[in-house]
């Protein structure tokens, strides 16, 4: 597809949106009021708005390779702070996915250059949970399990930011969720981790790690 087709596609899309709802773009241009912040992977096969059926204006989005939340990443923290303090989103969703190239590269220590430093955070997750990667586990099984554990640890990282802690302290309604998406079937799965207030992370975290440990590390 030549790159000029993207403009053709865009005009057709804008026309369709206008036909469906003539005031749509005017309204959107004036304000956005999303209820959700999505922290997901940059992977082209995981388009946030599309897979949850939300329109422009309904989902605030941050994506990076392997949906990692690092406490010194000003980019991610700025998105989180603006979403929570200014837009007042009520839900933050950390969504990983099975078949993630970033997770696979981290697990196999593949070595692609600069990005290896970013994926080091995912290797840290694997090392934090070595008991969940028993001898004999296949690479396919391990990467799927690591994708789940990475979501869980990134949810914990979100919960531990000053931004989220301060929001809970002032009584703001805010839940942090851990989900995972299947490239192979287009379906989202709730990993069973939703943290809604200060002081509950440790219990929720232990519960979901035990659940992951209790399921066979097999392809979902
Ligand atoms: Zn990915």
């Amino acid at each position: 597809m030549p790159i000029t087709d993207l403009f053709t596609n865009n005009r057709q899309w804008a026309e369709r949106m206008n036909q469906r709802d003539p005031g749509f773009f005017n309204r959107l241009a004036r304000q956005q009021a999303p209820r959700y912040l999505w922290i997901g992977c940059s992977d082209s096969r995981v388009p946030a708005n599309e897979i949850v059926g939300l329109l422009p204006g309904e989902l605030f989005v941050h994506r990076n390779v392997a949906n990692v939340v690092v406490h010194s990443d000003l980019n991610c923290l700025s998105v989180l702070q603006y979403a929570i303090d200014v837009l007042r989103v009520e839900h933050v969703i950390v969504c990983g996915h099975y078949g993630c190239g970033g997770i696979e590269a981290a697990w196999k220590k593949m070595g692609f250059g600069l990005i290896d430093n970013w994926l080091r955070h995912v290797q840290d997750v694997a090392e934090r949970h070595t008991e969940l990667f028993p001898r004999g586990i296949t690479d396919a099984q391990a990467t799927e399990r690591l994708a789940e554990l990475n979501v869980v640890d990134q949810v914990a990282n979100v919960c531990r930011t000053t931004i989220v802690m301060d929001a809970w302290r002032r009584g703001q309604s805010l839940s942090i969720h851990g989900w995972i998406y299947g490239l192979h079937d287009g379906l989202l799965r709730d990993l069973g981790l939703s943290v809604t207030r200060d002081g509950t992370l440790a219990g929720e975290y232990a519960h979901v790690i035990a659940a992951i440990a209790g399921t066979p590390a097999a392809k979902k």
Side-chain angles (χ1 to χ4, degrees):
M1 179 189 287
I3 196 164
T4 49
D5 282 6
L6 303 190
F7 283 93
T8 312
N9 290 349
N10 167 253
R11 279 192 299 273
Q12 290 168 351
W13 172 77
E15 248 165 57
R16 276 199 309 276
M17 296 297 282
N18 261 327
Q19 275 165 8
R20 204 182 304 164
D21 178 358
F24 183 72
F25 289 111
N26 276 335
R27 269 200 323 278
L28 262 192
R30 280 197 298 275
Q31 67 157 12
Q32 62 166 339
R35 291 183 57 207
Y36 311 97
L37 165 62
W38 175 278
I39 300 176
C41 183
S42 299
D43 194 304
S44 63
R45 298 163 294 179
V46 194
N49 279 72
E50 255 177 276
I51 64 180
V52 289
L54 291 180
L55 288 169
E58 296 180 327
L59 189 67
F60 205 58
V61 173
H62 176 79
R63 290 167 69 181
N64 61 45
V65 174
N67 41 274
V68 175
V69 177
V70 183
H71 291 294
S72 55
D73 177 3
L74 266 184
N75 183 351
C76 182
L77 292 182
S78 300
V79 171
L80 192 64
Q81 191 255 327
Y82 188 80
I84 292 173
D85 292 355
V86 183
L87 297 174
R88 298 243 157 190
V89 298
E90 291 166 29
H91 302 275
V92 176
I93 299 150
V94 178
C95 187
H97 66 105
Y98 296 119
C100 180
I103 300 284
E104 185 189 8
W107 175 255
K108 294 183 180 169
K109 300 184 172 66
M110 289 163 90
F112 287 117
L114 175 70
I115 194 172
D116 303 349
N117 298 281
W118 181 251
L119 295 177
R120 180 63 240 180
H121 294 294
V122 179
Q123 289 167 345
D124 290 345
V125 173
E127 283 172 22
R128 204 171 297 129
H129 302 282
T130 42
E131 72 284 358
L132 295 181
F133 298 94
R135 204 200 304 249
I137 193 168
T138 66
D139 281 342
Q141 291 169 330
T143 49
E144 307 249 307
R145 176 158 274 186
L146 183 52
E148 295 172 353
L149 292 169
N150 183 52
V151 169
V152 174
D153 277 20
Q154 305 315 328
V155 165
N157 285 345
V158 172
C159 293
R160 292 183 185 120
T161 59
T162 55
I163 302 154
V164 170
M165 299 292 281
D166 288 347
W168 280 335
R169 221 167 274 143
R170 62 180 177 254
Q172 192 172 329
S173 171
L174 179 66
S175 308
I176 320 299
H177 310 272
W179 296 356
I180 193 155
Y181 174 76
L183 292 181
H184 58 288
D185 60 8
L187 295 177
L188 281 171
R189 293 141 178 89
D190 187 344
L191 284 174
L193 177 61
S194 288
V195 190
T196 57
R197 58 195 164 86
D198 191 16
T200 60
L201 172 64
E204 293 272 350
Y205 183 89
H207 185 259
V208 73
I209 293 294
I212 291 173
T215 44
K219 201 164 167 60
K220 308 285 184 304

